[in-house]
Amino acid sequence: MAKFQAPKGVSEYFPDNSRAFEYVRETIIACAKSSGFALMELPIFEDTELFARGVGESTDVVRKEMYTFEDRGGRSITLRPEGTAGVMRSTIEHNLDRGQLPVKVYYSGPFFRAERPQAGRYRQFYQVGIEAIGLSDPLIDVEVIAVAHRAFQELGLKQYRLEITSLGDAITRANYLKELRAFISTLELDEETRARAEINPLRLFDDKRSEIKSALTNAPILMDYLTPESAADFRTVCETLSELGIDYQVNNRMVRGLDYYTGTAFEFVHEGLGAQSGIGGGGRYDGLMEQLGGAKLSGIGFGLGIDRIILACQAEGVGFGSEPELDLFIVPLGTSTQALVLAEQLRARGVRVDLAYGDKSLKGGMKAADKSGARFSIVLGDEEFKNQEVSLKEMATGEVQSVTLSALANRLVELTATFGEHS
Ligand code: HAM
């Protein structure tokens, strides 16, 4: 029988690279939590209309990349292509917007876009995202950006840059879009492109075709139309980023792929990744919540692409943490039953333990202990049980100490608690 294969273009993680995945995800989550963001766990599929309305009919995501199907009740369902619309839906549905503001949440998990697969671009990919909903203060924009920046710093990344822009407020965009539409009307465009530009002229900047790109070289620039209020907010964002020592570049030609952005928008671009260089992006969305039937509240957030961040770490040669994942590996001589009993006793005390099974030779068992990455190992045979004593071996140094079986749990708890201080 032919072997099954994963569907085309999905990313998946298994030992050993699942460790990198977990490390990157947990590092970002820890940064979000340390800034007061709390978990929001959302469904992976939603009503199709939520994305059509939230993300925007003119976007590539909605036009051609959604995994949409009818469920058994005849409802149109879509696998989430991004996280912000779902967060808005849940915030409105559970009245979080009527409580303490801002609502600060983080989420992580798989997202789905039927894109053409290539390195760093997948049909199922993973994000950690955060959203701060309910306040328009530009300082929150900085706080959100700072979470991503801190996560990248903790991961040890260096070769990335933060690009920011402002898409202004409603007046800014009304004035700008009038000029842009006038400019576009002077261009020779095919019907489909013109139709798309009519829904949202900004989408023309998404077009990858070189003739469209060059036709747009002299297009008006949105940042030239910022109202004094929008310009002041953007100045505050830039100045505060500088105050925090976060470098940035203003990119007045940035196009975000989703329609809901207003005000501050940003992208983190990694230099070692080739075409799919965006390791994260986000921005403010003034009208989204109202558009989805909620209060007239603004919000800002980001989505960081875990798959691409792993590639970025690999491109820079930075590791994924050095903490061992196991405290102890037990090598039983003969049957493993007693080793399993001991392992369970130790695990109940919080010691992380794995063991060898089957009739492994001592050599095979020690090889497994080495491969496990555990910090310590013990051999458990008749002798050890008779004496009620084991030799606790520190794998890195080869140092051995005798410990009675009754004292083993306490000894390991002690040793692993102080590990961080020694390493
Ligand atoms: P986005 O820019 O569409 O924003 O995606 C965020 C990040 O997800 C990208 O920078 C990239 O790293 C990763 N990503 C996107 N598509 C793929 C793909 N096909 N394969 C691999 N990685 C990918 C959003 O999704 C917004 N919801 C972010 C946001 C939150 N804005 C405000 N709040």
Side-chain angles (χ1 to χ4, degrees), residues 82 84 113 115 120 122 127 131 256 260-261 278-280 301 303 305:
E82 63 96 52
T84 314
R113 295 182 193 176
E115 300 196 76
Y122 309 109
Q127 281 186 4
E131 311 291 344
R256 299 283 298 135
Y260 47 65
Y261 290 111
I279 53 175

Side-chain angles (χ1 to χ4, degrees), residues 138-152:
L139 288 181
I140 297 184
D141 303 20
V142 178
E143 196 183 12
V144 164
I145 293 172
V147 170
H149 174 76
R150 189 150 28 87
F152 293 144

Side-chain angles (χ1 to χ4, degrees), residues 371-398:
K371 196 155 176 275
S372 77
R375 191 177 162 212
F376 296 100
S377 70
I378 57 171
V379 174
L380 208 54
D382 293 344
E383 187 83 355
E384 282 74 16
F385 275 107
K386 203 174 88 208
N387 300 334
Q388 285 292 296
E389 198 169 82
V390 290
S391 298
L392 184 62
K393 179 178 175 189
E394 180 154 17
M395 300 301 285
T397 58

Side-chain angles (χ1 to χ4, degrees), residues 61 81-85 107 111 113 115 120-127 129-131 256-258 260-261 267-268 276-285 300-309:
V61 169
E82 63 96 52
T84 314
Y107 49 89
F111 293 87
R113 295 182 193 176
E115 300 196 76
R121 188 162 76 183
Y122 309 109
R123 292 179 168 174
Q124 173 169 335
F125 59 97
Y126 294 85
Q127 281 186 4
I130 69 173
E131 311 291 344
R256 299 283 298 135
L258 315 165
Y260 47 65
Y261 290 111
E267 270 170 6
F268 288 92
Q276 304 307 314
S277 57
I279 53 175
R284 192 166 268 289
Y285 38 85
I300 176 154
F302 66 59
L304 304 187
I306 305 195
D307 315 272
R308 291 190 193 166
I309 295 171

